[in-house]
Amino acid sequence: MKSLRARHISRLLRCFSTTTRYNYKVTVVGGCGGIGQPLSLLLKRNTKVKTLAIYDVARTPGIYTDLSHIDTSVVVEGYQCAENLPAALEKADIVLLVGGAARKPDMTRDDLFKLNVNVVEEVVTTIADKCPKALVGIITNPVNSCVPVAAEILKEKNVFDPKRLFGVTTLDLVRARTFIGEILDMDPGKVSIPVIGGHSGETILPILSQCKPPLKLDKERAIKLIKRIQDAGTEVVKAKCLDGGTSATLSMAHAAYLFTDALLRGLQGDCKPVKCAYVASDVSDCAFFSTPLQLGKNGVEKNLGLPKMNKDEEEMYCKAVEKLKKHIKSGVDYFKNKS
Ligand code: LMR
């Protein structure tokens, strides 16, 4: 039986952990859109979040009111119109950028660059002023080029910290786990596989040789599986083309939530979650590359680098690097040509 003193200490510790656990402000930019709404719903249920701020250019009053009726202790704040973006970002610990246009069936993610880059610029410039220490997750496509643009803006403002800027690629892992779970007839949540590179077509590199449990496929089936993972976004875009034409929203919200929860656990500092994300690094010839990262109080605590690859995967990797370099260059060039 616990002594009175031990019980007192454990009560104190519980109190202490309560105050440290509920302290984070998460801002979802684009919170009223197809991804933003389910993502905000999931975050409203996360006990590590103290304040959930949703920002959007329209529909905020309705979505805010709806969310705020959910009986959890997360406090919801709603902000609408560009003039309120600074208040939405003020003191944010994590900012998730999910706004922008979505792909139609005849488009590549690259085609979205000219439509979405202004959103990225506006939001990241305000982040630099209002919450330069926030961990920033970019979901707005094309992630491969938007993250380099964001980095350039933060560099210009002298607040770039490569540990705090992420392109969220978790959906590629979610899809890889799902499709592998189907093949192995097992719970997809128990599949572990690194998916590295970027977030579009051939830059998405599922490293099947490192799958746990091991996946034994002949070359033809392995190629088919890799292609399905790489083209899964397009599979959703095609399937949704009759519903007004949009891309993945629910699976993307789920994936972004998993990543945000890992960031929050890292911020808490009582564990060091590992997630793949697209960050500035020197692990490859690309200035940005997604690899497994150990997350901590300041974002990336340790980049775990490239996983082991077999010969076929190395070939795939070389092709991906060449493509990714072009995507990164178009982001950097856009910024340089503007200034
Ligand atoms: C996805 O992977 O589903 C997203 O990047 C959206 C898209 O356009 O494919």
Side-chain angles (χ1 to χ4, degrees):
M1 210 173 117
K2 269 189 186 170
S3 71
L4 262 181
R5 190 175 146 72
R7 261 188 267 164
H8 179 64
I9 289 173
S10 88
R11 215 174 12 245
L12 273 180
L13 283 175
R14 270 205 307 276
C15 289
F16 178 71
S17 72
T18 303
T19 44
T20 50
R21 264 161 210 273
Y22 291 79
N23 247 352
Y24 301 110
K25 172 173 172 177
V26 180
T27 301
V28 181
V29 177
C32 300
I35 302 167
Q37 286 192 41
L39 174 58
S40 300
L41 170 61
L42 293 167
L43 289 168
K44 176 74 170 93
R45 294 168 51 83
N46 189 309
T47 53
K48 293 179 276 303
V49 179
K50 181 180 180 195
T51 307
L52 169 64
I54 56 164
Y55 168 84
D56 218 319
V57 288
R59 303 172 72 196
T60 309
I63 304 302
Y64 156 77
T65 307
D66 195 357
L67 270 177
S68 67
H69 288 182
I70 294 171
D71 57 347
T72 65
S73 56
V74 178
V75 176
V76 185
E77 295 175 355
Y79 299 90
Q80 184 164 292
C81 301
E83 75 246 34
N84 294 315
L85 179 60
L89 294 172
E90 183 98 56
K91 296 205 176 97
D93 298 288
I94 297 179
V95 181
L96 302 167
L97 179 43
V98 298
R103 253 189 323 151
K104 300 261 186 306
D106 54 343
M107 292 167 87
T108 66
R109 288 187 187 81
D110 266 353
D111 296 330
L112 293 173
F113 186 68
K114 52 186 175 307
L115 300 175
N116 289 343
V117 70
N118 294 345
V119 180
V120 175
E121 282 184 282
E122 183 192 3
V123 176
V124 176
T125 304
T126 317
I127 288 172
D129 290 339
K130 290 291 160 189
C131 54
K133 295 267 179 217
L135 306 181
V136 179
I138 297 198
I139 292 136
T140 298
N141 268 317
V143 169
N144 290 359
S145 308
C146 287
V147 173
V149 172
E152 291 302 316
I153 294 168
L154 296 169
K155 277 180 204 164
E156 193 188 50
K157 296 259 187 184
N158 287 322
V159 291
F160 177 57
D161 179 350
K163 295 196 193 82
R164 294 173 186 270
L165 176 66
F166 305 86
V168 180
T169 57
T170 318
L171 183 51
D172 303 316
L173 282 113
V174 163
R175 287 166 170 157
R177 281 204 299 257
T178 303
F179 303 155
I180 292 169
E182 279 165 17
I183 293 170
L184 295 178
D185 193 19
M186 65 177 283
D187 175 357
K190 298 215 162 77
V191 174
S192 151
I193 174 164
V195 181
I196 61 169
H199 178 65
S200 90
E202 283 175 309
T203 69
I204 300 169
L205 296 176
I207 306 300
L208 301 188
S209 65
Q210 298 306 309
C211 181
K212 288 187 194 115
L215 184 64
K216 295 194 173 28
L217 296 178
D218 60 36
K219 195 163 172 172
E220 197 185 324
R221 284 188 76 200
I223 291 173
K224 218 167 142 194
L225 172 62
I226 291 167
K227 186 106 183 74
R228 180 159 187 222
I229 297 166
Q230 292 175 332
D231 292 345
T234 310
E235 186 181 322
V236 179
V237 171
K238 284 187 180 149
K240 285 190 172 183
C241 72
L242 296 177
D243 307 335
T246 183
S247 49
T249 51
L250 302 174
S251 50
M252 183 56 100
H254 165 75
Y257 175 77
L258 292 182
F259 185 68
T260 310
D261 187 62
L263 288 181
L264 286 162
R265 283 186 281 131
L267 279 177
Q268 278 185 314
D270 45 348
C271 70
K272 295 192 164 89
V274 173
K275 287 272 172 231
C276 289
Y278 180 66
V279 294
S281 77
D282 56 8
V283 302
S284 73
D285 283 349
C286 295
F288 296 84
F289 205 83
S290 179
T291 43
L293 309 169
Q294 197 171 71
L295 301 168
K297 287 190 168 179
N298 298 304
V300 180
E301 188 141 310
K302 191 171 176 197
N303 191 324
L304 302 181
L306 297 173
K308 271 194 195 146
M309 290 181 255
N310 64 27
K311 219 168 138 277
D312 292 337
E313 287 162 349
E314 273 171 11
E315 270 175 32
M316 233 172 43
Y317 165 82
C318 293
K319 281 193 199 145
V321 164
E322 289 317 307
K323 281 232 150 116
L324 206 39
K325 276 185 191 165
K326 290 188 188 139
H327 294 167
I328 294 167
K329 186 171 177 328
S330 49
V332 174
D333 286 353
Y334 167 84
F335 182 82
K336 296 218 160 118
N337 293 335
K338 262 196 72 186
S339 359

